[in-house]
Amino acid sequence: MKIWIDGELVDETDAKISVFDHGLLYGDGVFEGIRVYNGRIFELKAHIRRLYESAKAIRLDIPMSREELIKAVEKTADANAVSDGYIRLIITRGVGTLGINPLVCHDGRSIIIADNIQLYPEELYERGIKVISATTVRNHPLAVPPQIKSLNYLNNILAKLEALDNNVPEAVMYNHEGYVAEATADNVFIVKNSCIYTPPVQAGALEGITRGVVIKLAEEENLRVVEKNLTRFDLYTCDEFFLTGTAAEVISVVEIDGRAIGDGKPGPITKMLRKKFFKYAHGKKS
Ligand code: PMP
């Protein structure tokens, strides 16, 4: 596998960064996860926009233009002949001292990895997944703003551990006010009386690229999509529940905290949106 580091494609074994890089020492950096479908990089411009916004929010300069970065992503996908896969784009703060001071850091690394993706097994898409409510509260917006896709995922990792401890693959995270924020690596949607609801990003969610596409696809079907604060009660009593994300795409949730959603099977609106998303992703140029 060829890895892109700072303008060069190198062998995987030669792709190395310093142990003094603050990306490693402190999770000081930002990243993106991007899909490739049929040789086309999905929503690349939107991912690049979000990367630059994450970087700006943490005062990290990306040492190249958006156009240069787009070319680098395309070049890495080509070099690895990835036609259906996953691209990880990482920008680190670079080499500093053992103190946290980011202002002394230099040589921030830009890294691109193009690989295969591990999706949920097909049967989980057909049956739907079970989730739990995490007790770990989503980052307070005055701490690390949840809209930053930073290299520090510990908040979500702690919630993921709760899910795995309960033998389910995902957990819903609530914000400091008790409203639904998102899942550990996906956005949350519910359906009630044929209307779709999703928390506003201000409730503590990453502004998911898949979320944006799914909202657009639902509206094309003349479905109403409302962004509003959701409570645990709303999740317990909805007709349908699904998650969206780059890796998961659209996946149905059929149980939360031991309560079945609807009749305990993926609902019709979720199934329709999954199908529509699949068609859109496989047919669309970036
Ligand atoms: N929330 C979090 C915390 C995420 O890490 C992700 C990305 N996997 C998402 C939501 C979904 O965003 P996207 O659709 O852009 O992948």
Side-chain angles (χ1 to χ4, degrees):
M1 187 192 301
K2 294 279 184 199
I3 310 289
W4 191 94
I5 297 199
D6 301 326
E8 252 187 282
L9 278 165
V10 298
D11 279 333
E12 191 181 331
T13 45
D14 296 324
K16 294 183 178 137
I17 67 160
S18 165
V19 293
F20 288 96
D21 193 307
H22 279 207
L24 172 70
L25 289 176
Y26 298 112
D28 190 351
V30 293
F31 78 101
E32 279 297 320
I34 311 168
R35 283 293 280 276
V36 186
Y37 293 105
N38 289 343
R40 299 191 189 99
I41 301 170
F42 188 61
E43 300 290 326
L44 180 54
K45 281 195 185 128
H47 280 285
I48 297 288
R49 191 183 322 120
R50 188 169 69 185
L51 183 80
Y52 275 81
E53 286 182 0
S54 292
K56 181 164 188 190
I58 68 162
R59 289 176 54 190
L60 174 62
D61 285 330
I62 298 179
M64 70 189 100
S65 70
R66 290 172 194 225
E67 293 69 32
E68 285 168 333
L69 202 47
I70 285 172
K71 285 212 176 80
V73 170
E74 290 168 345
K75 201 170 154 188
T76 311
D78 283 349
N80 291 286
V82 169
S83 70
D84 281 284
Y86 180 88
I87 294 173
R88 177 58 58 95
L89 178 46
I90 304 154
I91 313 286
T92 74
R93 183 80 70 180
V95 172
T97 61
L98 286 179
I100 69 166
N101 184 357
L103 301 181
V104 300
C105 292
H106 54 88
D107 296 335
R109 311 311 296 261
S110 316
I111 301 162
I112 307 171
I113 308 166
D115 201 358
N116 291 316
I117 181 135
Q118 204 184 341
L119 283 170
Y120 287 128
E122 189 53 37
E123 92 186 75
L124 278 192
Y125 287 97
E126 275 152 33
R127 272 198 284 123
I129 59 167
K130 296 178 181 179
V131 303
I132 54 145
S133 292
T135 61
T136 305
V137 167
R138 188 73 178 101
N139 279 337
H140 192 287
L142 293 177
V144 180
Q147 279 160 273
I148 299 174
K149 200 163 168 63
S150 90
L151 287 180
N152 190 326
Y153 254 51
L154 273 179
N155 185 227
N156 300 48
I157 287 167
L158 292 180
K160 180 83 174 181
L161 280 174
E162 291 186 51
L164 299 175
D165 286 346
N166 284 278
N167 297 315
V168 296
E170 256 296 357
V172 171
M173 301 182 77
Y174 297 81
N175 66 21
H176 59 288
E177 293 178 307
Y179 293 114
V180 176
E182 61 181 344
T184 66
D186 293 312
N187 289 111
V188 167
F189 285 81
I190 60 169
V191 183
K192 178 95 176 183
N193 299 328
S194 303
C195 182
I196 299 176
Y197 299 92
T198 191
V201 286
Q202 291 75 13
L206 182 74
E207 189 163 4
I209 307 294
T210 321
R211 174 184 183 274
V213 170
V214 166
I215 290 174
K216 201 175 78 180
L217 296 177
E219 287 173 344
E220 270 174 30
E221 291 296 311
N222 294 320
L223 287 162
R224 218 158 78 81
V225 184
V226 178
E227 292 187 45
K228 78 168 191 132
N229 278 327
L230 300 174
T231 62
R232 195 177 290 203
F233 180 81
D234 295 324
L235 303 186
Y236 289 170
T237 58
C238 65
D239 303 328
E240 295 184 39
F241 184 162
F242 61 92
L243 305 177
T244 66
T246 291
E249 301 176 330
V250 177
I251 190 158
S252 176
V253 175
V254 291
E255 188 184 301
I256 177 164
D257 300 338
R259 282 106 172 144
I261 304 298
D263 63 0
K265 296 196 187 100
I269 292 179
T270 306
K271 285 206 266 192
M272 181 274 290
L273 287 172
R274 168 149 182 83
K275 225 161 139 183
K276 224 174 135 69
F277 180 82
F278 184 91
K279 216 168 140 193
Y280 178 84
H282 285 80
K284 186 174 180 297
K285 284 196 163 53
S286 64

